[in-house]
Amino acid sequence: MLRSIRLQNFKCFADQTVALGPLTLLSGQNGTGKSSVIQSLLLLKQSYAHGLIHGLMLNGELVSLGTATDVLYEGAPNEIVTVSVESDSDDPWNATSSLPFDASHPNADVLHLHVGQEVGSMLSLEGLKYLAAERIGPRDAHITSDYHVASLGDVGSDGAYAVAFLHEHARRVVHPSMCKTNADSNRLIDQVAAWLGEVSPGVRLDTERSRSMSRAALLVSFRSGAVTSRKLRPTGVGFGVSYTLPILLALLASEAGSIVLLENPEAHLHPRGQMAMGELMAAAAAAGTQVLVETHSDHVLNGVRLAVKRKTLAPADVRLHYFSRADDGVRIVHRLTSPAIDTDGRLDTWPEGFFDQWDRALEELL
């Protein structure tokens, strides 16, 4: 498991260490550095995937950040961007403590290791799965890929392979800690439907695949009591089901020791659905998956807090980080505040701007 990430001269950070736990939530106003933390891991993964053992690939299929000028901290005392990753001592990735990259060539889109040491196998981050904020919406048909679905066990960073993944792994057994008891079974397709029920009550899913056309289709129906609707195309039932499906698959099908990075899992969900996402993320962390989430939703946070109170996950296994910025009279400074959670799901501090907009509005209304 990854224990921390330290970023030096990287984007908005002069020198920032972010502690990680089995479940880590990154929150804060837009442009305060949340995405930069996730991007640092994605840069390492995509660089190794392309065979770069001496460099950092700034533009690829997972993340595109431009050139050295775009990633070097403004006001940096030198032209070295350093990414440090700490993991458990027995972690199979054998995490390297510090990776300094040369950012002295402004237009370079590959930053080479400053001191020439070789990046080890840990930078493959083989078990890391990523779902971006911009995901595939409702489609009549979805692309398939045996390489992504079967070999990588991946739904795609935009969820493009989610329907094909569900079709191929429908009968896969879900870890007990993530299973809903009201589901028809502990198989993946039934557990996905049960969790989707928090988003759209009574939803049922069916999949079809045409190998000759390399396409997969999702069909959605709804059950209420003894009545079940006809099967509908996703384009007829809104964005919530399609946007949530890849998140549910990434978590419910995750294996112990893997890492799941999620951006804005609350998108297109009503409050109860957002809270359910927090509950599921906590359950996945309890099953051994490390989950790192960027979110703007107090409902997601509350889902995690309730999971802690219900003893799904221990308080020590949750890390909460709030990113903010101010100025020191010379330049903009980015700051990190990290509230701690207790066994009742209460926080020891509530920084200004940390999911407090409801209280602010209510105070003015009253």
Side-chain angles (χ1 to χ4, degrees), residues 325-345:
R325 62 171 175 257
D327 71 89
D328 61 3
V330 178
R331 62 175 60 90
I332 294 176
V333 178
H334 287 72
R335 296 171 177 165
L336 184 66
T337 308
S338 304
I341 190 169
D342 67 15
T343 55
D344 290 319

Side-chain angles (χ1 to χ4, degrees), residues 119-161:
V119 177
S121 61
M122 82 89 189
L123 293 183
S124 68
L125 293 176
E126 185 176 354
L128 185 148
K129 302 294 187 289
Y130 167 61
L131 276 171
E134 188 176 1
R135 299 188 288 277
I136 294 293
R139 300 285 192 277
D140 287 340
H142 295 258
I143 60 174
T144 65
S145 167
D146 287 338
Y147 172 69
H148 282 272
V149 172
S151 299
L152 298 182
D154 190 11
V155 299
S157 61
D158 60 357
Y161 308 112

